[in-house]
Amino acid sequence: FVNQPYQCTSTVKGNVAEITLQRDGALWFGSQPHRLTVRKVLRYADGDDQFTAEYSVVNRELAPVDIWFGVEWNVGAMAGDAADRYYDIEGRALADKRLRSRGEEQQVLSFRLVDEWLNLQTLFTLSQAATLWRFPIETVSLSEGGFERIYQGSVVIPHWRFRLEATGTPGAEFQVRLAQAIRRLREQ
């Protein structure tokens, strides 16, 4: 999946825009390919505060295959160490909730990145519970004090492990829907 382009189509129906990206490719186990299709459908309705991404992974072989599938989302944010900018993962008590933090949470259906100073939140909801990895995007800068890390944003990767059954049988396709919304924390 890394060395070929995805096919892209787009449509507009009423106030809904849709972009479909699809790629027929393979996972390689040694010298043996296992054919799969990956599809991502992005939808946005004019005036809405969110968009959705629907992913599907389809087995195109007669043998079942175990998959570890994840999607990476990058959120530009400011002040990765500020107390009023943080992760909220279903209200869980995180050991370190700063936007600069690293961590893994199991069985996550929703999470958000909160910026109280800007009165904004980026909210993610998933149709299937995932394991969630989070970590910062950092650059290195040389200053008077030497090298230092500069926080640029946050990466979140919901991921799933599953088995795809043989093509043409129930369980040969995995589907998940992710919605991302940017909303005010409170009305002004």
Side-chain angles (χ1 to χ4, degrees):
F1 287 95
V2 298
N3 65 352
Q4 297 294 316
Y6 279 69
Q7 296 175 348
C8 180
T9 59
S10 62
T11 60
V12 176
K13 297 176 187 169
N15 71 331
V16 178
E18 181 177 291
I19 299 171
T20 300
L21 301 168
Q22 182 168 313
R23 168 96 161 81
D24 293 330
L27 295 179
W28 290 84
F29 298 97
S31 63
Q32 296 298 313
H34 191 104
R35 296 176 306 138
L36 299 170
T37 297
V38 173
R39 185 173 41 255
K40 176 180 182 178
V41 180
L42 298 166
R43 283 190 190 89
Y44 175 74
D46 186 33
D48 205 350
D49 65 355
Q50 74 173 10
F51 73 91
T52 61
E54 294 177 3
Y55 298 90
S56 70
V57 182
V58 180
N59 187 358
R60 296 188 302 124
E61 295 284 353
L62 294 176
V65 63
D66 294 317
I67 303 288
W68 190 352
F69 177 75
V71 290
E72 177 179 325
W73 294 83
N74 298 280
V75 179
M78 298 176 63
D81 288 318
D84 62 347
R85 292 158 187 156
Y86 53 88
Y87 286 102
D88 176 20
I89 302 174
E90 298 176 336
R92 300 176 189 187
L94 302 175
D96 184 354
K97 66 180 189 174
R98 297 173 305 149
L99 292 179
R100 171 174 254 151
S101 67
R102 293 169 167 77
E104 175 181 276
E105 291 291 316
Q106 305 288 324
Q107 295 297 307
V108 174
L109 281 167
S110 67
F111 58 95
R112 60 192 186 131
L113 288 77
V114 176
D115 186 329
E116 291 180 2
W117 190 78
L118 288 176
N119 190 35
L120 290 176
Q121 61 182 327
T122 301
L123 173 67
F124 292 87
T125 55
L126 308 169
S127 64
Q128 293 194 44
T131 298
L132 179 68
W133 290 335
R134 69 181 195 281
F135 53 90
I137 300 170
E138 296 175 322
T139 56
V140 177
S141 177
L142 180 59
S143 68
E144 310 81 40
F147 290 103
E148 61 182 333
R149 291 179 175 175
I150 308 297
Y151 172 81
Q152 300 292 319
S154 296
V155 177
V156 291
I157 303 177
H159 57 95
W160 301 264
R161 290 185 187 219
F162 52 89
R163 180 176 200 88
L164 289 177
E165 298 301 333
T167 188
T169 65
E173 181 174 6
F174 170 82
Q175 295 180 329
V176 67
R177 179 180 180 269
L178 183 147
Q180 180 186 10
I182 299 174
R183 297 182 178 146
R184 293 190 183 279
L185 285 171
R186 58 198 167 277
E187 290 304 317
Q188 300 291 339

